[in-house]
Amino acid sequence: MKESKLFEGIFDKYLETDFELNLLKACLTNLNQFGNDLRFNNYAYSLRELSRHLLKRLAPDENILLCSWYKNEIEGKANGITRNQRVKYAIQGGLSDTFIEEELDLDISGTKKKLKKAIDLLSKYTHVNEDTFAIDESTVNNHVSEINKAFSGLFTDIDACRQNIILRIEDGVDSAIIERTVYDVIEDIDEMSTHHEIEDVDYDIKVEKLNNLEILFKVSGSIDVLQQYGSSGDRRRGDGHEMRNSFPYECELGCPVNKLKDFEPKIERLNVNTDSFYE
């Protein structure tokens, strides 16, 4: 029998700690113990624990409790947090339901249902009874496929949410970068020539952090500069000269989650790398 390829590539971006990576390996080891009638039971228990740790990290209690959309849905428990609320936070952070549905056109209800069903399935097989012991290969494969699709759907929705946010605010980011680079003097570039002119700014943007309060974007790219040495009079007399350079830069932009609809980025940090000029 072939070893299971469960989660091959799916968790690449989302498992971060050595503990999480080692626990996933242990899950697969359990699943691939052919001949052991408890292999799926052992796998189910360990994978359920991995999902618990993962969702806890992606959706910390203290962050969920501060979200505008949070309400206690567990009767008799103070500050109760459901699994669905963890999934919701992992996908949308502190963004409102209205923004997710109307502005980003993202429906996460299907993901929540599939993931709940998958984890409930894992929970069922952690208890060894006659109907959960020594299950046949076909049933194992069907269950593995269902679980695989559920977790894949979670990560797909996380990526979709962040990509939709990026598409929505790209024009705003472009304006912010242009404004900062053109209208503010960048000291490192300014020191290298008598005058300089920003000719073009290229950028790539990704969501670095999405929590209950803000979205932090990381912008990286290059700034194309026309540098002038000597005064305009020197240039007319042939004493000065001009040269073009391109410098890589990184920038961090922050925006409160409740202000994304009217995106006005706040530049947290701008760093232009001019090392190539001196090499």
Side-chain angles (χ1 to χ4, degrees):
M1 296 181 181
K2 295 181 179 180
E3 290 192 350
S4 170
K5 298 299 182 183
L6 176 69
F7 296 141
E8 185 175 22
I10 292 176
F11 270 101
D12 287 353
K13 292 191 298 182
Y14 292 96
L15 292 186
E16 293 184 355
T17 67
D18 289 340
F19 169 72
E20 291 171 349
L21 292 167
N22 290 332
L23 184 51
L24 177 62
K25 291 178 183 178
C27 293
L28 296 176
T29 297
N30 285 332
L31 186 60
N32 290 318
Q33 287 181 334
F34 301 102
N36 181 353
D37 288 338
L38 284 171
R39 74 184 183 97
F40 191 77
N41 306 89
N42 293 337
Y43 153 79
Y45 170 74
S46 54
L47 187 61
R48 187 186 67 172
E49 289 300 290
L50 175 60
S51 71
R52 180 175 64 83
H53 287 290
L54 179 64
L55 285 175
K56 187 84 170 179
R57 177 171 57 76
L58 292 176
D61 292 11
E62 59 272 20
N63 292 39
I64 295 174
L65 295 174
L66 293 175
C67 288
S68 61
W69 50 256
Y70 169 79
K71 63 178 181 180
N72 194 345
E73 298 176 349
I74 302 178
E75 187 176 350
K77 181 179 180 180
N79 297 327
I81 297 174
T82 66
R83 185 188 301 126
N84 269 348
Q85 287 173 327
R86 290 199 190 281
V87 174
K88 181 175 181 176
Y89 183 88
I91 295 172
Q92 70 187 68
L95 294 171
S96 70
D97 295 341
T98 300
F99 187 86
I100 287 290
E101 295 165 7
E102 296 181 4
E103 302 295 329
L104 300 187
D105 193 26
L106 186 64
D107 182 3
I108 68 171
S109 59
T111 296
K112 290 191 293 186
K113 289 178 182 177
K114 287 180 182 177
L115 199 62
K116 180 182 183 303
K117 185 178 179 182
I119 295 177
D120 287 346
L121 177 66
L122 293 174
S123 297
K124 172 185 175 182
Y125 281 91
T126 62
H127 303 287
V128 181
N129 299 305
E130 285 190 34
D131 61 338
T132 62
F133 178 67
I135 60 176
D136 61 81
E137 186 68 18
S138 176
T139 302
V140 170
N141 290 336
N142 288 337
H143 288 343
V144 166
S145 178
E146 183 178 349
I147 294 163
N148 194 348
K149 290 177 182 177
F151 278 96
S152 178
L154 168 64
F155 300 136
T156 296
D157 275 0
I158 291 174
D159 288 341
C161 180
R162 282 147 182 73
Q163 185 59 34
N164 284 347
I165 292 170
I166 288 171
L167 291 174
R168 178 176 177 79
I169 55 87
E170 273 191 331
D171 289 341
V173 169
D174 183 68
S175 299
I177 293 295
I178 294 298
E179 181 178 349
R180 178 65 180 266
T181 54
V182 173
Y183 296 107
D184 290 357
V185 174
I186 302 174
E187 293 183 0
D188 289 343
I189 292 179
D190 193 51
E191 291 173 355
M192 294 187 298
S193 58
T194 309
H195 304 287
H196 74 268
E197 177 183 340
I198 306 295
E199 293 191 319
D200 192 22
V201 179
D202 292 326
Y203 71 91
D204 180 65
I205 177 172
K206 69 176 182 177
V207 176
E208 191 79 352
K209 182 190 298 183
L210 170 57
N211 60 29
N212 55 295
L213 296 176
E214 69 170 350
I215 304 175
L216 185 66
F217 305 95
K218 182 176 181 180
V219 184
S220 58
S222 61
I223 299 175
D224 296 335
V225 182
L226 175 64
Q227 294 173 295
Q228 179 180 317
Y229 297 85
S231 66
S232 297
D234 291 335
R235 290 281 295 123
R236 286 192 295 271
R237 292 189 295 271
D239 294 330
H241 73 280
E242 293 179 339
M243 63 183 296
R244 286 181 167 82
N245 274 308
S246 182
F247 301 107
Y249 75 92
E250 287 186 351
C251 179
E252 288 183 355
L253 303 174
C255 181
V257 292
N258 60 352
K259 299 291 186 182
L260 191 57
K261 187 173 181 179
D262 302 308
F263 182 66
E264 295 181 1
K266 176 185 177 183
I267 296 184
E268 307 285 353
R269 178 181 63 85
L270 177 63
N271 176 46
V272 181
N273 186 344
T274 59
D275 290 349
S276 62
F277 180 81
Y278 299 102
E279 292 176 352

